Amino acid sequence: DLRGLKCPLPTLLVKKALTTLAPGDLIVAECTDPMAAIDIPHMCREDGHRLLASESGAGVLRFLIERAV
């Protein structure tokens, strides 16, 4: 739950959390910072993680990310 945090914290914390997972594991990140809609997909592309889904509603951005193998 990254709601209420401002850029760049949501992306940095997702990146840190992904390092603790095994390859192929999934993580769900929920953010309220509108910049996360740009930053988190960019981080996934740069680091090789798969952004499986992203959605927004009620001011919350939700990302489903698979850790890179």
Side-chain angles (χ1 to χ4, degrees):
D1 182 3
L2 304 167
R3 289 178 262 187
L5 298 177
K6 297 292 181 189
C7 180
L9 284 177
T11 304
L12 293 174
L13 292 174
V14 167
K15 187 172 187 150
K16 182 177 179 181
L18 284 164
T19 65
T20 68
L21 301 177
D25 282 353
L26 303 177
I27 189 170
V28 174
E30 295 183 341
C31 311
T32 52
D33 182 6
M35 288 303 297
I38 298 167
D39 294 341
I40 289 180
H42 179 73
M43 180 271 305
C44 289
R45 282 190 303 275
E46 290 291 311
D47 294 353
H49 304 299
R50 288 184 56 210
L51 180 60
L52 300 176
S54 63
E55 62 184 41
S56 63
V60 176
L61 301 166
R62 191 169 292 108
F63 303 93
L64 176 62
I65 303 165
E66 179 183 19
R67 188 186 188 281
V69 178

